[in-house]
Amino acid sequence: MRILLAGCVLALGLTAGLGTAAAAVLPPSNSTIGAPSPNMPIASHKCGQGQYWVPSGYAKHGKYRAGHCAPK
């Protein structure tokens, strides 16, 4: 019974080991990595009318808040 269990564990280990060796991830090519497109809009601190920009930082009680537009 122990030999059968050991054989099953060995077969499972070999199957998993051989399967993951073939599924190696290739690094991305240089064509996919690069500067953002010049057509891509860059985030700005322009808020709508009646609002103002609140910079990111720590608020009361030490809670961090990202920058956002807030009503006046």
Side-chain angles (χ1 to χ4, degrees), residues 34-52:
S37 170
N39 297 335
M40 183 182 297
I42 297 174
S44 65
H45 302 320
K46 294 180 181 178
C47 297
Q49 190 169 2
Q51 295 184 334
Y52 69 100

Side-chain angles (χ1 to χ4, degrees), residues 3-56:
I3 295 174
L4 181 61
L5 179 63
C8 290
V9 170
L10 179 65
L12 182 63
L14 286 174
T15 304
L18 294 175
T20 56
V25 178
L26 296 175
S29 66
N30 289 339
S31 63
T32 59
I33 300 174
S37 170
N39 297 335
M40 183 182 297
I42 297 174
S44 65
H45 302 320
K46 294 180 181 178
C47 297
Q49 190 169 2
Q51 295 184 334
Y52 69 100
W53 180 254
V54 177
S56 59

